Amino acid sequence: MTRRWGLQATMTATYVAVTAGVVLLTELVIFGVAALSPPTPLTRQAVQGLAQATAQGMTAKLDNVIGKLGTPKATQLDGDLTTGGGQVAAGQARPDGNGGVVIPRLTTAECDVASASFAVVVSRAGLVLASSYPACFPRGSHGSDAQQGVPRKVLSSFVRWAIQGGGQAPLPSGNVVWATAPITAGPGADQVKGAPSGAPSPTATGGAAGSGGATAVAMLYLEVPATAPGIGGVTVSPGLVRTGMVLLAAAIPVGLAFGLLSTRRLTRRLGRLAALTQQVGDGDFGLRVPVHGHDEVSRLEENFNRMAGQLQAWLDATRQLGAANARHEERTRIARELHDSISQELFSLNVLAGGLRRALPAKSPVLPQVEIMERTAGDTMREMRSLLLALRPVALEEADLPRALDGVCQAYRDRLGIPVRAEVDLAGLEADGLPPAVEHAMLRVTQEAVGNAARHADPARITVRLRGDRGQAVLEISDDGRGFDVAAPRHEEAGGLGLHTMRDRVAELGGLLTVQSAPGEGTTIRARFPLREAIVTGEAAVGEGVAGGGAAGSGVAGGGVAGSGVAGGGVAGQSITEEAR
Ligand SMILES: Nc1ncnc2c1ncn2[C@@H]1O[C@H](COP(=O)(O)OP(=O)(O)OP(=O)(O)O)[C@@H](O)[C@H]1O
Ligand SMILES: [Mg+2]
């Protein structure tokens, strides 16, 4: 659970970081472009607007000063007649970036003809009370001649126009825009010295100075050149920066929600896989995980299912083999017991009965019974011998499988006088030999198949082959005799058991037996046994020979030990299917 959350947390954090990073990058690009883009010159109207905004801002400050001081000294006003800071090039206004223009303090000794940015406070009488350009507008004057009368004209108009206003004026030195704004004091405040007594008190009608009922005690006049450069395509104002910060902050919950939602399904699937893997690790191989979609995780799910199937198949095969080995061992034990006890007793009984028969006179009335006793003992002994043979082939008791197979061939060679050969190649087989149950089954299949060839085929040659092939042990008995139609039902009616018995024997060990034959074309009996390592590594493909062959494939589980499904199938039909390939 901790790990699942760990993955989800990591992926979500990545989403948040990526989203925030993208927003930040976008903002930086926008700001960068804004900063680097060349400024567009402002229109005259724009400069006018900036000038008026500056005038209003300035008078608001001056109102406060006058409100606090009552009748301020003119010098006390000087400090509030600058904005923005820094110098401005002559003939060009400079926006201050906060919606106004820069009004510098011009301390030159002489009044320059060129248009400049400056602010002046004048009394009602038109006298300069304070100015940011003392050389042109000395305190107590009506303005300097150097301005060729234009300021004076405006200043002298002040009494009549004691209202907020503005306009443009073509001066010889260049076009300028100007703005005026009344400076007020609260009711009862003294009027600025120099105001004509008895003159009606004009009342501000708007702008920053227009606090209700306030009296205009002076007028601010502000003038700037009409041309001004812009400050870039986009103004990086505090508002824009604030918006950027809000967007950045919003990106975090968005990334968080997106990350949580998009990783939820993936982490659930991985969690389910992890839980099932643990259960498989605990030995429960029957579990399967549902496969969703076609992504990498679905491949993981498919592989998990395949792995669980292989493990299940391996487990089944191991159990089958274990059971077969156990059966085989039990048979061997019983055979040994019978041989060592009852067989010996029967032999003694037979010898005693023979001795008794020979000792009795020919005319003895019990002689017939003794003869019956001797015969019965002999018959029972032979029965017992064949039973012991069925339980445990003598050949394997005395020799290993290759030699046992050779022994069978030798016996038939002697009996039939035809070449019966054994070709054994153990290279591809298990290092520590085949399981005893497999060896037993191989010997029995060889005996039956060679016997069938001898009895039914009239062959010129019989060959027994044993080899390893892709994780399987393959036993093949082929003859070049008359062959038979494996599909014909007559064999079952005839009551032959050999083929069925062989098939059952092989299937019992997880293998597959196939019969390849046709009239006139000889016969090949092929038994494939899966080897243990092959089951584990998934190499065994016992069923591949009959995979397309109807009933034979029914026992196939992911290409593992397929042969188990063969036991229930018909003997001949499957062989035909295989051989048709
Ligand atoms: N190698 C072969 N060549 C020709 N015909 C064969 C061969 N093997 C089997 N047959 C045919 O298949 C039939 C069935 O064989 P199967 O071994 O099952 O029975 P059987 O040999 O007749 O009797 P049983 O094996 O029970 O003693 C045989 O009767 C024979 O007709
Ligand atoms: Mg037979």
Side-chain angles (χ1 to χ4, degrees):
M1 187 69 193
T2 316
R3 245 182 265 161
R4 191 178 78 83
W5 172 243
L7 178 63
Q8 192 170 29
T10 310
M11 293 180 75
T12 304
T14 309
Y15 274 116
V16 170
V18 167
T19 315
V22 167
V23 170
L24 196 62
L25 205 66
T26 311
E27 288 177 358
L28 285 177
V29 167
I30 290 173
F31 290 168
V33 168
L36 294 177
S37 60
T40 320
L42 295 179
T43 62
R44 224 175 260 187
Q45 284 72 21
V47 181
Q48 177 82 58
L50 294 180
Q52 275 178 293
T54 308
Q56 278 171 30
M58 243 176 219
T59 51
K61 278 196 247 165
L62 293 167
D63 287 348
N64 278 341
V65 175
I66 291 173
K68 273 194 211 126
L69 300 175
T71 305
K73 289 198 175 75
T75 49
Q76 290 174 312
L77 301 174
D78 284 356
D80 293 312
L81 292 183
T82 54
T83 58
Q87 290 304 308
V88 181
Q92 252 205 346
R94 181 153 70 86
D96 65 0
N98 287 318
V101 286
V102 174
I103 303 295
R105 178 119 195 111
L106 298 168
T107 52
T108 51
E110 291 185 2
C111 182
D112 196 347
V113 178
S115 55
S117 301
F118 65 88
V120 181
V121 177
V122 294
S123 71
R124 287 188 185 179
L127 290 175
V128 174
L129 296 177
S131 112
S132 68
Y133 197 179
C136 282
F137 299 95
R139 202 170 292 135
S141 73
H142 287 282
S144 166
D145 288 341
Q147 288 292 338
Q148 307 201 351
V150 174
R152 212 178 303 160
K153 178 183 158 203
V154 175
L155 300 181
S156 62
S157 306
F158 162 70
V159 178
R160 277 186 290 132
W161 299 342
I163 55 170
Q164 182 180 315
Q168 299 169 17
L171 295 186
S173 57
N175 293 331
V176 297
V177 297
W178 56 268
T180 56
I183 301 168
T184 60
D190 293 345
Q191 291 182 351
V192 176
K193 191 182 170 191
S197 56
S201 293
T203 300
T205 55
S211 47
T215 307
V217 294
M219 195 72 176
L220 173 76
Y221 173 80
L222 189 139
E223 183 183 301
V224 296
T227 53
I231 50 171
V234 176
T235 308
V236 187
S237 63
L240 192 62
V241 173
R242 250 199 315 278
T243 311
M245 297 305 288
V246 169
L247 275 178
L248 199 59
I252 292 170
V254 168
L256 195 70
F258 187 65
L260 284 173
L261 287 177
S262 62
T263 55
R264 201 174 52 170
R265 188 159 167 265
L266 178 68
T267 48
R268 247 191 229 162
R269 288 168 68 194
L270 288 175
R272 196 164 40 219
L273 259 179
L276 287 181
T277 313
Q278 191 171 2
Q279 291 185 45
V280 166
D282 291 344
D284 189 352
F285 302 140
L287 298 166
R288 299 291 180 273
V289 64
V291 179
H292 297 288
H294 302 283
D295 54 12
E296 283 81 355
V297 181
S298 72
R299 274 175 50 204
L300 200 61
E301 291 164 344
E302 280 168 8
N303 289 347
F304 170 84
N305 288 344
R306 220 156 57 83
M307 184 189 73
Q310 292 275 4
L311 286 171
Q312 184 70 56
W314 170 78
L315 191 67
D316 290 346
T318 306
R319 280 188 187 138
Q320 257 180 342
L321 203 60
N325 279 339
R327 268 198 308 276
H328 174 78
E329 272 168 27
E330 184 61 10
R331 278 183 193 164
T332 307
R333 195 184 63 78
I334 292 171
R336 207 167 40 237
E337 291 301 315
L338 287 176
H339 177 268
D340 292 353
S341 55
I342 298 176
S343 234
Q344 303 307 330
E345 300 300 326
L346 281 173
F347 179 70
S348 307
L349 193 62
N350 184 254
V351 170
L352 284 174
L356 190 57
R357 176 178 54 77
R358 281 189 293 277
L360 283 173
K363 301 258 187 269
S364 171
V366 293
L367 189 60
Q369 281 84 351
V370 172
E371 282 173 349
I372 292 174
M373 193 165 61
E374 186 188 3
R375 216 172 29 247
T376 307
D379 288 349
T380 313
M381 220 168 66
R382 272 188 294 279
E383 283 284 323
M384 179 60 74
R385 203 169 288 147
S386 70
L387 182 65
L388 290 181
L389 221 61
L391 285 169
R392 174 68 185 155
V394 176
L396 277 177
E397 282 287 306
E398 294 160 358
D400 57 10
L401 182 64
R403 268 188 281 166
L405 293 180
D406 216 32
V408 173
C409 295
Q410 175 75 50
Y412 278 92
R413 250 193 327 263
D414 296 347
R415 210 180 297 165
L416 299 177
I418 56 163
V420 184
R421 283 187 302 123
E423 298 172 4
V424 178
D425 177 10
L426 294 175
L429 302 174
E430 287 176 329
D432 52 350
L434 295 165
V438 173
E439 286 190 340
H440 184 183
M442 283 184 167
L443 187 62
R444 287 292 185 225
V445 168
T446 305
Q447 284 172 331
E448 174 60 25
V450 174
N452 273 355
R455 278 171 61 199
H456 307 300
D458 191 17
R461 166 188 309 273
I462 303 173
T463 310
V464 177
R465 282 192 196 88
L466 174 60
R467 62 191 161 89
D469 176 31
R470 285 177 296 155
Q472 300 168 24
V474 184
L475 176 70
E476 242 174 49
I477 302 97
S478 52
D479 67 69
D480 57 358
R482 65 174 64 100
F484 68 108
D485 181 0
V486 289
R490 64 187 168 84
H491 311 301
E492 289 175 28
E493 285 163 12
L497 280 178
L499 289 177
H500 285 290
T501 310
M502 281 193 284
R503 190 175 298 283
D504 290 351
R505 241 183 229 289
V506 177
E508 236 180 37
L509 297 169
L512 176 71
L513 184 118
T514 55
V515 181
Q516 177 184 355
S517 187
E521 292 186 11
T523 302
T524 298
I525 307 283
R526 189 174 294 118
R528 291 174 175 272
F529 296 88
L531 299 179
R532 205 168 315 159
E533 283 90 4
I535 297 168
V536 175
T537 56
E539 277 182 40
V542 170
E544 73 182 323
V546 290
S554 60
V556 176
V561 281
S564 54
V566 173
V571 172
Q574 290 164 8
S575 316
I576 283 176
T577 310
E578 183 200 27
E579 305 317 330
R581 290 171 356 110

